[in-house]
Amino acid sequence: MAKLWSGRLHSGLDAAAEDFNASIRVDARMVREDIEGSVAHAAMLGACGILTPEDAALIRKTLNEIRAEIEAGTLAVDPAAEDVHTFVEQELTARIGEAGKRLHTARSRNDQVATDFRMHLRGEIAGVRELAKKLVAALCDKAEVYADAILPGYTHLQRAQPVSFGHHLMAYAFMLRRDCSRLSDCARRMNESPLGSGALAGTTFPIDRAITAGLLGFDAPCRNSMDGVSDRDFAVELLSALSILMMHLSRFSEEIILW
Amino acid sequence: MAKLWSGRLHSGLDAAAEDFNASIRVDARMVREDIEGSVAHAAMLGACGILTPEDAALIRKTLNEIRAEIEAGTLAVDPAAEDVHTFVEQELTARIGEAGKRLHTARSRNDQVATDFRMHLRGEIAGVRELAKKLVAALCDKAEVYADAILPGYTHLQRAQPVSFGHHLMAYAFMLRRDCSRLSDCARRMNESPLGSGALAGTTFPIDRAITAGLLGFDAPCRNSMDGVSDRDFAVELLSALSILMMHLSRFSEEIILW
Amino acid sequence: MAKLWSGRLHSGLDAAAEDFNASIRVDARMVREDIEGSVAHAAMLGACGILTPEDAALIRKTLNEIRAEIEAGTLAVDPAAEDVHTFVEQELTARIGEAGKRLHTARSRNDQVATDFRMHLRGEIAGVRELAKKLVAALCDKAEVYADAILPGYTHLQRAQPVSFGHHLMAYAFMLRRDCSRLSDCARRMNESPLGSGALAGTTFPIDRAITAGLLGFDAPCRNSMDGVSDRDFAVELLSALSILMMHLSRFSEEIILW
Amino acid sequence: MAKLWSGRLHSGLDAAAEDFNASIRVDARMVREDIEGSVAHAAMLGACGILTPEDAALIRKTLNEIRAEIEAGTLAVDPAAEDVHTFVEQELTARIGEAGKRLHTARSRNDQVATDFRMHLRGEIAGVRELAKKLVAALCDKAEVYADAILPGYTHLQRAQPVSFGHHLMAYAFMLRRDCSRLSDCARRMNESPLGSGALAGTTFPIDRAITAGLLGFDAPCRNSMDGVSDRDFAVELLSALSILMMHLSRFSEEIILW
């Protein structure tokens, strides 16, 4: 099948180059978000009269079936597809024909990827925060039990002051609480929808970006389309917040190993 | 003069090692914060009856004089001092004798450094945010002027969609606005006072940590002394936020160079 | 089965911790080197009279069978083994009983891992050098064909001087030639055998380190046992050499993309 | 004075931008190499008949005077100059007029900078190697003295095997010996002269690159002009070699601190 970007090339790509270029091994994990985004996009296209109500309904129904099959394990993402977006679209078109191709109206790979990526990270952040909060709760419980157990506290590898083991554990609880707060700030800042930004400068179709943003749980559409599709600062910020979290866990683990 | 840590050593340190060990070239920039912190500490010691009212008043008055002389340029931080804290204490003691040495009651280098560092970064953040906000305002002004100037927009080095130059500039305004918000979050999270944490486990003197926290503009004392003196996660978070800001400025600058 | 390090623990390890601790997914790739190293070690133990000739011969024969089965695909490294060394030893002991356990005489995990690692990287370097040399040859061929094709040469994104395309290609040939030379230097420097260093300070058995070094293709045994088992500078040096190679390939690729 | 790159700009540069752009604070350290390179370049231009013998001799004599004054401390590099090359040329021209401007014939800033940089690093490497070799000698001396002093050797923070303190010290001697060998390899690989490569594709003047290479102590001229002026892989390689050296020194230092 012709690749999206095959325009200028006369013959097919070497298999090694094709394999190198494919992102499916990485982005297959975003299949749920990709389908959710497409369902919302189809609903909006229907609501704005860009798709007929029949097409919009058929697309949404079929996408939800695909998603259900993937979640049930009866359909697998095809590792030979170029990326997860292509996989979903091919699967849809194989089931409902021409109507499936109309899904991509008023949308670009650029805003689609940016939307999937933010939704995916938003979900991952929620999961990590949940785990960190459980650890804080466990530390508080243990700290209460060991409030009166006295340990030597060290500075410069020398014993310096006695300290309660409960107090020692609570130091980590407070570190992790700040980590949770960093993760929240990051999730809040990234929670704007790039969908509708097109390749970089929007689209001439009369879309309504507030509809997709609302359906997908974003606080609002991105205010600037070029910023929305191009910036990945939220990912750098998340990497930093996770690194600090891991630094705290590593410090804690090293201490346990030393003991 | 005997160094703080000279306990086990029988002879003096080699000059090269002493120079390598000294932090004065780095921490001299925190002299203002170090004095402010000591003024607040002296006030608290007086309020809690740990110092006599006379000593507390004399220390505060003299520290404020030292600060005024430094700001006026009539007194310079001595580069031969081991660190800025030692410099301030030596200067104080040279002027008022024994009373000066009492300033360090119920305090450790550890909580003193942590306090200076947070106050210093808090001030730096405010300065950078001010500059970033000015740049956002300038971008908004230029964007209004050039709202109707049409540029080619590129994807993959190919012309893709026309875009208004004003819209292009506003992409950077939104990036910088997020940078400002990252800096605010970071400043808010670090704004707790470690003073009173001692070396790691507080002090047996009846201090009131809320007094120093309030005088120094912190939202509250750190809740856990070990966390307060040991963690530097706020500095890592700030480095990350500043790196993202520089990445945005670098992207903007590269574009201007290409034009 | 009891783990090597289980000494102080009273109950088994949680499955998640065990999985986290296992290195088999990483070191399974060194199975060939691990077996080769053990074959040489057994030969040396036999030659020095530490093992009986029968035990030494049986161990070597069985290890070679295991290796042949792995290479033929009829035996797979067990992903449930803790590490590749344990897997090989368990497999050997399952086949020949007590004699298999004697293989580890006068050896430690520490010198065994260090030996496997150096042998593995030595092989990888040879493979990468071969590929780089092929690319140099291809560049030279193309440079000859295009010796007279004139291109604009750029400085600061401005056309500066005309340049032959062949000359342009040869710039990359010379870069890659230096990369090959860096890889050779690195391979030469790491080609000393740590086997016989024991945990850190050798062994009391009358081993002959020159025998194993010779059988395994090392230039000589490491001169210092603590250095031999602990330093990984060769790996850092290799990462640096490979990074520079990738930088050259990346520069070349980016240029092709721009064209 | 007009800047080299001022071509398209109608008014002067803002002082802050000029300061940001200037490299004099960094490259002033290469003033000796810059003058040496220019002396060799002038000698070659004279030998090839591109400059008159009188001009060539006058330039060389004056450059050597400038160098002598700088080394004697009677002339200082002007921090207001844009870069060190401009400083030397201005100083020369101020002393001998038009002839001074002819020095830059058949040369570009690009090959001049690349030459200075390689000569400078070559010298720095020699200095660091000398220090490292002294440390190796000192370690060997101490190792001899303490050959019979027995220490506990640790693995995983547990006492594992007894070890001689002399043996322990010699581990570092061997690490440093490899560091010296890495530095030698790096110095040898970079010791080719880029002078004569011009901006990127040489020059139409009938220069002789072997003359300057020989006068400046290079093994040969770079074989490819684009490679010669553009690649900085030698600097990356050197940074890597120095990082590994520092890692060894850091490991040694940390051990001493623990003791």
Side-chain angles (χ1 to χ4, degrees):
Chain A
M1 176 186 168
K3 298 294 176 185
L4 288 172
W5 38 259
S6 63
R8 290 194 180 181
L9 301 174
H10 299 302
S11 63
L13 208 56
D14 184 273
E18 188 158 326
D19 181 62
F20 177 77
N21 195 53
S23 61
I24 190 81
R25 273 174 303 219
V26 171
D27 59 25
R29 76 186 71 176
M30 301 198 291
V31 66
R32 198 172 58 74
E33 289 85 354
D34 194 71
I35 294 175
E36 271 183 40
S38 289
V39 168
H41 184 63
M44 183 276 288
L45 291 176
C48 295
I50 301 169
L51 286 186
T52 64
E54 295 72 29
D55 273 1
L58 180 60
I59 289 171
R60 293 168 64 189
K61 180 172 153 286
T62 314
L63 285 170
N64 282 324
E65 286 165 9
I66 292 171
R67 177 177 165 178
E69 291 173 30
I70 288 172
E71 289 178 350
T74 56
L75 177 67
V77 175
D78 178 6
E82 188 184 340
D83 57 31
V84 72
H85 325 296
T86 305
F87 165 75
V88 171
E89 216 167 299
Q90 285 175 352
E91 191 64 35
L92 179 68
T93 306
R95 297 183 184 204
I96 61 171
E98 279 304 302
K101 294 188 182 167
R102 279 181 214 121
L103 168 62
H104 206 56
T105 311
R107 190 171 69 169
S108 156
R109 273 286 177 276
N110 288 3
D111 57 348
Q112 189 179 357
V113 170
T115 305
D116 289 5
F117 193 16
R118 290 177 186 230
M119 287 171 68
H120 185 68
L121 293 187
R122 193 175 63 183
E124 293 291 312
I125 291 174
V128 172
R129 276 195 74 221
E130 210 48 55
L131 289 169
K133 282 165 76 177
K134 276 189 194 164
L135 183 48
V136 169
L139 286 166
C140 291
D141 288 349
K142 290 285 182 199
E144 211 158 354
V145 174
Y146 296 111
D148 298 327
I150 304 301
L151 281 183
Y154 286 78
T155 62
H156 308 101
L157 299 171
Q158 307 290 337
R159 298 185 171 196
Q161 291 183 295
V163 64
S164 140
F165 184 45
H167 187 65
H168 192 118
L169 291 175
M170 285 307 293
Y172 291 102
F174 282 105
M175 292 176 210
L176 289 163
R177 219 174 61 153
R178 280 195 302 280
D179 290 323
C180 289
S181 127
R182 262 184 285 269
L183 290 171
S184 298
D185 286 347
C186 178
R188 173 180 46 74
R189 214 170 345 257
M190 77 167 67
N191 203 29
E192 299 189 341
S193 171
L195 207 57
S197 299
L200 69 105
T203 171
T204 51
F205 284 96
I207 61 172
D208 184 339
R209 301 177 61 214
I211 293 179
T212 43
L215 287 172
L216 296 170
F218 286 107
D219 295 332
C222 290
R223 299 278 297 273
N224 184 287
S225 65
M226 296 185 74
D227 179 37
V229 292
S230 70
D231 206 8
R232 295 289 187 267
D233 60 351
F234 56 89
V236 180
E237 179 180 352
L238 178 55
L239 285 174
S240 164
L242 291 175
S243 301
I244 297 175
L245 169 60
M246 288 306 293
M247 179 180 76
H248 288 147
L249 294 179
S250 165
R251 176 178 164 189
F252 190 32
S253 304
E254 191 175 355
E255 223 168 59
I256 292 174
I257 291 169
L258 286 173
W259 289 338
Chain B
M1 178 187 166
K3 298 294 176 185
L4 288 172
W5 39 261
S6 63
R8 289 200 184 176
L9 301 173
H10 299 301
S11 63
L13 208 57
D14 183 274
E18 187 158 330
D19 182 62
F20 177 77
N21 195 53
S23 61
I24 190 81
R25 272 174 304 219
V26 171
D27 59 24
R29 76 185 72 174
M30 300 198 291
V31 66
R32 198 172 57 73
E33 289 86 355
D34 194 70
I35 295 175
E36 272 183 39
S38 289
V39 167
H41 183 63
M44 183 276 288
L45 291 177
C48 295
I50 301 169
L51 285 187
T52 63
E54 295 71 29
D55 273 1
L58 180 60
I59 289 171
R60 293 168 65 188
K61 180 174 153 286
T62 315
L63 285 171
N64 282 325
E65 286 165 8
I66 292 172
R67 177 177 166 178
E69 290 173 30
I70 287 173
E71 289 178 350
T74 56
L75 176 67
V77 175
D78 178 6
E82 188 184 342
D83 57 31
V84 72
H85 325 295
T86 305
F87 165 75
V88 171
E89 218 167 295
Q90 285 175 352
E91 191 65 34
L92 179 68
T93 306
R95 297 184 185 204
I96 62 172
E98 279 305 301
K101 294 187 181 167
R102 279 180 215 121
L103 167 61
H104 207 55
T105 311
R107 189 172 70 169
S108 156
R109 274 284 177 278
N110 288 3
D111 56 348
Q112 190 179 358
V113 170
T115 306
D116 289 5
F117 193 16
R118 290 177 187 230
M119 287 172 67
H120 185 67
L121 293 187
R122 194 175 63 182
E124 293 291 312
I125 290 174
V128 172
R129 276 195 75 220
E130 210 47 57
L131 289 169
K133 283 165 75 177
K134 275 190 194 165
L135 183 49
V136 169
L139 286 166
C140 292
D141 288 348
K142 290 284 181 197
E144 210 159 358
V145 174
Y146 296 110
D148 297 327
I150 303 301
L151 281 184
Y154 286 78
T155 62
H156 308 101
L157 299 172
Q158 307 289 338
R159 298 186 170 197
Q161 291 183 297
V163 64
S164 140
F165 183 46
H167 188 65
H168 192 117
L169 291 175
M170 284 308 291
Y172 290 102
F174 281 104
M175 292 176 212
L176 289 163
R177 220 175 59 153
R178 279 195 303 281
D179 289 323
C180 288
S181 125
R182 262 184 285 269
L183 291 171
S184 298
D185 286 348
C186 178
R188 173 180 47 74
R189 219 177 332 265
M190 78 167 67
N191 203 30
E192 299 189 341
S193 170
L195 208 56
S197 299
L200 68 105
T203 171
T204 51
F205 284 96
I207 60 171
D208 184 339
R209 302 178 60 214
I211 293 179
T212 42
L215 286 172
L216 296 171
F218 286 106
D219 295 331
C222 291
R223 299 277 297 273
N224 184 287
S225 64
M226 296 185 75
D227 179 37
V229 292
S230 70
D231 206 9
R232 296 290 189 264
D233 59 351
F234 56 89
V236 180
E237 179 180 351
L238 178 56
L239 285 174
S240 165
L242 291 175
S243 301
I244 297 175
L245 169 61
M246 287 307 293
M247 178 180 77
H248 288 147
L249 294 179
S250 166
R251 176 178 165 188
F252 191 33
S253 304
E254 190 174 355
E255 223 168 61
I256 292 173
I257 291 169
L258 287 173
W259 288 338
Chain C
M1 173 181 171
K3 299 294 175 188
L4 288 173
W5 38 259
S6 62
R8 288 197 183 180
L9 302 173
H10 300 300
S11 62
L13 208 57
D14 183 273
E18 189 158 326
D19 181 63
F20 178 77
N21 195 53
S23 60
I24 190 80
R25 272 172 304 218
V26 171
D27 60 25
R29 73 185 74 176
M30 301 199 290
V31 66
R32 200 173 57 74
E33 291 84 356
D34 194 70
I35 295 176
E36 273 183 39
S38 289
V39 168
H41 183 63
M44 183 277 286
L45 291 177
C48 295
I50 301 170
L51 286 187
T52 64
E54 295 71 30
D55 272 1
L58 180 60
I59 289 172
R60 292 168 65 190
K61 180 173 152 286
T62 314
L63 285 171
N64 282 324
E65 286 165 9
I66 292 172
R67 176 176 165 179
E69 291 173 31
I70 287 172
E71 286 177 352
T74 57
L75 176 67
V77 175
D78 178 5
E82 189 183 340
D83 56 33
V84 74
H85 325 294
T86 305
F87 165 74
V88 172
E89 216 168 296
Q90 285 175 351
E91 191 65 33
L92 179 67
T93 306
R95 296 182 185 205
I96 62 172
E98 279 304 302
K101 294 188 183 167
R102 284 182 212 118
L103 167 62
H104 207 56
T105 311
R107 191 172 68 170
S108 155
R109 273 286 176 278
N110 288 1
D111 56 349
Q112 188 178 359
V113 170
T115 306
D116 290 5
F117 192 18
R118 288 177 189 231
M119 289 172 67
H120 184 68
L121 292 187
R122 193 174 64 182
E124 293 290 313
I125 290 174
V128 172
R129 276 195 74 221
E130 212 46 58
L131 290 169
K133 283 165 74 178
K134 276 190 194 165
L135 182 50
V136 169
L139 286 167
C140 291
D141 288 349
K142 290 284 181 197
E144 211 159 356
V145 175
Y146 296 110
D148 298 327
I150 304 300
L151 281 184
Y154 288 77
T155 61
H156 307 102
L157 299 172
Q158 308 289 336
R159 298 184 171 198
Q161 291 182 296
V163 65
S164 142
F165 184 46
H167 187 67
H168 192 116
L169 291 175
M170 284 308 291
Y172 290 102
F174 282 105
M175 291 176 212
L176 288 163
R177 219 174 60 152
R178 280 195 304 279
D179 289 324
C180 287
S181 127
R182 260 184 286 269
L183 290 172
S184 298
D185 287 348
C186 177
R188 173 179 48 73
R189 214 172 342 259
M190 78 167 67
N191 203 30
E192 300 190 340
S193 170
L195 208 57
S197 299
L200 67 105
T203 170
T204 52
F205 283 96
I207 60 170
D208 184 339
R209 302 178 59 215
I211 294 180
T212 42
L215 287 172
L216 296 171
F218 285 107
D219 296 330
C222 290
R223 298 279 296 275
N224 184 286
S225 64
M226 296 184 74
D227 180 37
V229 292
S230 71
D231 207 8
R232 296 289 188 265
D233 60 351
F234 56 88
V236 181
E237 180 181 352
L238 177 56
L239 285 174
S240 165
L242 292 174
S243 300
I244 297 175
L245 168 60
M246 288 307 294
M247 179 180 76
H248 288 147
L249 294 178
S250 165
R251 175 177 163 188
F252 191 31
S253 304
E254 189 174 356
E255 223 166 61
I256 292 173
I257 291 169
L258 286 174
W259 290 338
Chain D
M1 176 184 169
K3 298 294 174 185
L4 288 173
W5 38 261
S6 62
R8 288 196 183 180
L9 302 174
H10 300 300
S11 63
L13 208 56
D14 184 274
E18 188 158 328
D19 181 62
F20 178 77
N21 196 53
S23 61
I24 191 78
R25 272 173 304 218
V26 171
D27 60 25
R29 73 185 75 174
M30 301 198 291
V31 66
R32 199 174 57 74
E33 290 85 355
D34 195 70
I35 295 176
E36 273 183 39
S38 289
V39 167
H41 184 63
M44 184 276 287
L45 291 177
C48 296
I50 301 169
L51 286 188
T52 64
E54 294 72 27
D55 273 1
L58 180 60
I59 289 171
R60 292 167 64 189
K61 179 172 153 289
T62 314
L63 284 171
N64 282 325
E65 286 165 9
I66 291 172
R67 178 178 163 176
E69 291 172 31
I70 287 172
E71 287 177 352
T74 56
L75 177 67
V77 175
D78 177 5
E82 188 183 342
D83 56 32
V84 74
H85 326 295
T86 304
F87 165 74
V88 172
E89 216 168 296
Q90 285 175 353
E91 191 64 35
L92 180 67
T93 306
R95 297 183 184 204
I96 62 173
E98 280 304 301
K101 294 188 182 166
R102 283 182 212 118
L103 168 63
H104 207 55
T105 312
R107 191 171 68 170
S108 156
R109 273 286 177 279
N110 289 2
D111 55 350
Q112 188 178 358
V113 170
T115 306
D116 289 5
F117 192 18
R118 288 177 189 232
M119 290 172 67
H120 184 68
L121 292 188
R122 195 174 62 183
E124 293 290 313
I125 290 174
V128 172
R129 275 196 75 224
E130 213 45 59
L131 290 169
K133 282 166 75 177
K134 275 189 195 165
L135 182 49
V136 170
L139 286 166
C140 291
D141 288 349
K142 290 284 181 199
E144 213 160 354
V145 175
Y146 295 109
D148 299 326
I150 304 301
L151 280 184
Y154 287 77
T155 61
H156 308 99
L157 299 172
Q158 306 290 335
R159 297 183 172 200
Q161 291 182 296
V163 65
S164 140
F165 184 46
H167 187 66
H168 192 117
L169 290 175
M170 285 308 292
Y172 291 102
F174 283 104
M175 292 176 211
L176 288 164
R177 219 175 59 153
R178 281 195 303 280
D179 290 322
C180 287
S181 127
R182 262 184 285 269
L183 290 171
S184 298
D185 287 347
C186 177
R188 172 180 48 73
R189 215 172 343 260
M190 79 167 66
N191 202 28
E192 300 189 339
S193 170
L195 207 57
S197 299
L200 68 107
T203 170
T204 51
F205 284 96
I207 60 172
D208 184 339
R209 301 177 59 216
I211 294 180
T212 42
L215 287 172
L216 296 172
F218 286 107
D219 296 330
C222 290
R223 298 278 296 276
N224 184 286
S225 64
M226 295 183 74
D227 179 36
V229 292
S230 70
D231 206 8
R232 295 290 187 265
D233 59 352
F234 56 87
V236 181
E237 180 181 351
L238 177 56
L239 284 174
S240 164
L242 292 174
S243 300
I244 297 175
L245 169 60
M246 288 306 294
M247 179 180 76
H248 289 147
L249 295 178
S250 165
R251 177 178 163 188
F252 191 32
S253 304
E254 189 174 355
E255 224 167 59
I256 292 173
I257 291 170
L258 286 174
W259 289 338

